[in-house]
Amino acid sequence: MKDNIVLQMKNIHKSFPGVRALQGVDFTLRKGEVHALMGENGAGKSTLIKVLTGVYSKDEGDIFLEGSAVAIHSPQDAQKVGISTVYQEITLCPNLSVAENMFIGRTSGMGQNWKKMNKDTEKILKSLDIPATATQQLETCSLAVQQMIAIARAVDMDCKVLILDEPTSSLDEQEVEKLFKLMRDLRSRGVGIVFVTHFLDQVYEICDRITVMRDGQLVGEFEIEKLPRVQLVSKMLGKELDDMSDIKGDQKAYEKKSGVAPVLEAKGRVSDAGIKPFDFHIDKGEVNGFTGLLGSGRSECVRALFGADRITGGTIKMNGKDVKIHKPLDAMKNGMAYLSEDRKGEGIVGDLSVRENIILAQQVLRGFFKPFSKAKQYEIADEYIKLLSIKTASADTPIKSLSGGNQQKVILARWLFTHPEYLILDEPTRGIDVGTKVDIQKLVLKLASEGMSVTFISSELDEMLRTCSRLVVMRDRKVVGELSGDDLNQSKVMSTIAGGDK
Ligand code: ADP
Ligand code: MG
């Protein structure tokens, strides 16, 4: 068995300022296996791979390839010892031919022998059953085929270890099947494949073993048959199935008034962000949520409701009336507000003051030709600073000098000031201190009791169970269930996330 091991990483440590990204992680890869590396965002998967491929230098630990210690200080070093990586974004040249892409950057010994290059390429394409020709321009191939060519290029460089970091995110089902066929083929030739993915179904379809990480630590290494899905989910989330005493929510059971149309009702809603069409509704004064693993499509669903991604189908009714929501402004005009997950990218305007950040969304709705007076702006800012206990020196302080939690409250103030009928909060409490977290949860429940409808997304299941009266469960970019009442407990949520019959 020992001889079967191609790669061993032992006791790997890596820290960034303020973050211990890897704390003594071990990883073992066998020849001819597909090995899933799993864990929620921030678990340390990418860091482990970057250490392995020489993008980062490790602080401590050893790497062995076929039993001998190797020193990897750069991606070139990794390449030389036979470790190849295909990143999620394809890093080939779209306007060159397939053959040129295959040999680019390593034509040294070949000179300009196009004929040989094309012939060799045809041979590789054929042997791996990739539907492309050597002289075809790369950009005329489908994304999946491009990905396969990137893999072929990596493999042809004599690789022993092939790393695929989320290669299937932008592929459709048929393309995934083609990729899997290629992976199986490589596996049978003895290549060890590390497969990073968020898709549970794919893991159980193609992988032999799974390594689970959480918070920079190794949780464990498992044979796929010995790790039922629900166990995998519980290990990723760090919740033991046994001691899942259900947390009693502070929230009273929500009671829907009969005969009243939902505040929002979506049917077959879908965007170009790779989710399956879904149905959804929320009633007046209700708090519900989307739950699932990171990458399961939670954010993409709420973005589709708000028109934040390109909408490709489905209908939306608000209070019983058909409405068109194709962009955020449409949603805002219909009484919706959306606090995005990416507050750096979409939320805060760093150089503007707390006051300016608060009035921004409402100012957009009013139109910039009807500005609020300075006096009114201060009045509004002070009101929300008080309401949300925002810790800031003054309303004129630039938002970038506030702590993360207080920045988050400013953005929340921005949306509350638009007086939405329906508020969507995507990870409003991520990365903020516990006190502020509780403040935000309480505020959500208070707003709901006053009649606002709120959809809440959080990676912390406890928080979701405390605030939501109904959970829409997602797996692999599909809505796979809906839980309420007695079903709102951790074990039920996790088994629904895990799905399958295991
Ligand atoms: P994963 O790929 O499992 O989502 P990562 O390896 O990307 O996790 O991240 C692990 C931790 O290390 C996270 O807390 C992340 O914020 C941190 N981290 C990763 N890369 C860097 C970096 N270049 N600088 C600072 N912190 C980083
Ligand atoms: Mg990553």
Side-chain angles (χ1 to χ4, degrees):
M1 213 51 172
K2 261 243 150 19
D3 299 342
N4 235 347
I5 290 173
V6 58
L7 169 78
Q8 216 172 1
M9 299 178 79
K10 274 192 184 159
N11 191 33
I12 307 291
H13 286 261
K14 174 74 187 172
S15 289
F16 299 105
V19 188
R20 296 176 66 196
L22 298 175
Q23 302 169 43
V25 174
D26 297 334
F27 179 75
T28 305
L29 182 70
R30 292 182 191 150
K31 275 186 194 139
E33 76 165 338
V34 180
H35 193 130
L37 183 56
M38 304 217 47
E40 292 244 289
N41 261 16
K45 306 179 297 289
S46 294
T47 305
L48 188 71
I49 281 170
K50 285 178 181 164
V51 163
L52 178 60
T53 54
V55 177
Y56 293 155
S57 57
K58 54 187 168 12
D59 300 337
E60 207 180 305
D62 299 295
I63 301 177
F64 299 89
L65 208 70
E66 298 182 317
S68 349
V70 285
I72 298 170
H73 299 296
S74 70
Q76 289 74 28
D77 287 352
Q79 193 78 251
K80 261 183 234 149
V81 296
I83 300 171
S84 284
T85 321
V86 176
Y87 290 100
Q88 189 175 350
E89 323 78 53
I90 296 166
T91 45
L92 301 177
C93 303
N95 52 356
L96 295 184
S97 75
V98 168
E100 285 166 313
N101 270 291
M102 203 78 100
F103 286 99
I104 212 165
R106 57 190 174 104
T107 42
S108 50
M110 309 197 11
Q112 291 286 40
N113 192 343
W114 298 104
K115 253 201 184 132
K116 179 163 169 21
M117 191 166 93
N118 284 339
K119 220 172 122 204
D120 288 352
T121 302
E122 288 298 348
K123 217 158 52 195
I124 298 165
L125 293 173
K126 197 152 170 233
S127 81
L128 293 174
D129 206 8
I130 300 173
T133 58
T135 50
Q136 187 179 3
Q137 229 182 11
L138 185 78
E139 64 190 352
T140 62
C141 303
S142 73
L143 218 53
V145 171
Q146 293 189 30
Q147 195 122 44
M148 290 162 95
I149 291 165
I151 293 171
R153 174 187 154 89
V155 174
D156 187 52
M157 294 188 182
D158 252 350
C159 87
K160 301 181 177 110
V161 175
L162 176 65
I163 301 163
L164 302 175
D165 196 354
E166 305 221 23
T168 55
S169 322
S170 48
L171 304 184
D172 67 30
E173 273 158 46
Q174 283 179 347
E175 293 174 327
V176 169
E177 274 317 310
K178 281 190 198 139
L179 177 67
F180 281 3
K181 188 169 167 291
L182 177 58
M183 285 166 70
R184 289 193 183 103
D185 190 16
L186 295 173
R187 167 168 67 189
S188 69
R189 294 172 191 212
V191 178
I193 302 176
V194 183
F195 183 41
V196 184
T197 181
H198 283 304
F199 295 98
L200 291 185
D201 287 348
Q202 295 183 358
V203 167
Y204 283 89
E205 184 178 342
I206 188 105
C207 295
D208 304 295
R209 291 194 303 156
I210 309 179
T211 288
V212 182
M213 296 177 64
R214 189 175 64 244
D215 297 335
Q217 286 171 326
L218 175 71
V219 175
E221 184 196 84
F222 310 90
E223 303 285 335
I224 194 108
E225 320 80 71
K226 296 200 181 116
L227 188 69
R229 284 158 171 262
V230 66
Q231 294 257 4
L232 171 62
V233 171
S234 105
K235 291 195 189 302
M236 287 170 67
L237 292 173
K239 311 272 181 209
E240 279 311 317
L241 283 163
D242 305 338
D243 62 36
M244 287 192 308
S245 49
D246 296 333
I247 298 153
K248 264 273 165 287
D250 306 346
Q251 194 207 7
K252 294 192 198 79
Y254 172 80
E255 274 176 44
K256 177 180 162 47
K257 292 195 193 72
S258 62
V260 184
V263 164
L264 179 139
E265 185 172 21
K267 287 247 187 292
R269 186 75 165 172
V270 62
S271 74
D272 66 353
I275 41 169
K276 293 269 159 24
F278 66 99
D279 296 343
F280 175 81
H281 76 276
I282 186 161
D283 291 313
K284 188 174 167 58
E286 187 186 14
V287 183
N288 67 13
F290 282 91
T291 186
L293 296 170
L294 283 160
S296 59
R298 308 175 307 197
S299 296
E300 286 78 1
C301 281
V302 294
R303 292 177 65 84
L305 294 175
F306 195 69
D309 292 322
R310 206 172 69 79
I311 302 305
T312 51
T315 57
I316 287 194
K317 278 189 169 128
M318 288 193 81
N319 300 305
K321 276 201 299 242
D322 284 313
V323 290
K324 276 215 161 49
I325 296 177
H326 288 307
K327 53 183 190 301
L329 193 59
D330 299 340
M332 287 161 69
K333 286 186 171 152
N334 279 292
M336 288 172 72
Y338 166 54
L339 183 84
S340 93
E341 168 184 35
D342 176 14
R343 60 176 173 254
K344 284 255 160 52
E346 296 180 17
I348 68 166
V349 186
D351 290 322
L352 294 187
S353 67
V354 169
R355 164 177 55 84
E356 290 163 312
N357 268 286
I358 291 176
I359 64 159
L360 191 68
Q362 184 63 352
Q363 190 67 72
V364 168
L365 276 175
R366 270 168 71 110
F368 280 98
F369 50 88
K370 268 177 27 193
F372 290 104
S373 71
K374 268 279 159 69
K376 184 74 187 163
Q377 292 188 19
Y378 281 106
E379 189 189 311
I380 296 157
D382 287 341
E383 181 190 333
Y384 282 97
I385 288 172
K386 219 165 110 197
L387 175 74
L388 298 174
S389 324
I390 299 171
K391 291 197 184 62
T392 177
S394 78
D396 287 323
T397 308
I399 189 173
K400 64 182 174 199
S401 61
L402 271 56
S403 73
N406 283 293
Q407 288 182 3
Q408 187 70 334
K409 286 179 173 179
V410 172
I411 306 304
L412 187 56
R414 172 194 295 171
W415 289 112
L416 292 179
F417 178 48
T418 66
H419 304 294
E421 188 179 10
Y422 177 30
L423 175 67
I424 300 171
L425 300 172
D426 193 351
E427 296 276 8
T429 62
R430 186 174 57 195
I432 64 178
D433 61 283
V434 179
T436 311
K437 268 185 191 176
V438 174
D439 286 352
I440 290 181
Q441 289 167 24
K442 279 190 187 146
L443 181 76
V444 165
L445 294 175
K446 177 164 168 288
L447 293 169
S449 72
E450 293 165 5
M452 196 185 283
S453 306
V454 184
T455 292
F456 191 68
I457 297 180
S458 164
S459 297
E460 290 175 38
L461 204 46
D462 307 3
E463 187 170 70
M464 295 285 279
L465 290 169
R466 266 198 301 276
T467 21
C468 301
S469 58
R470 185 159 55 89
L471 290 179
V472 177
V473 183
M474 301 206 62
R475 177 177 66 248
D476 301 351
R477 307 193 158 247
K478 282 195 289 281
V479 170
V480 293
E482 199 175 287
L483 304 172
S484 59
D486 290 343
D487 285 340
L488 280 181
N489 58 64
Q490 293 207 26
S491 33
K492 190 73 196 179
V493 173
M494 287 208 269
S495 60
T496 311
I497 289 175
D501 43 14
K502 295 190 176 196

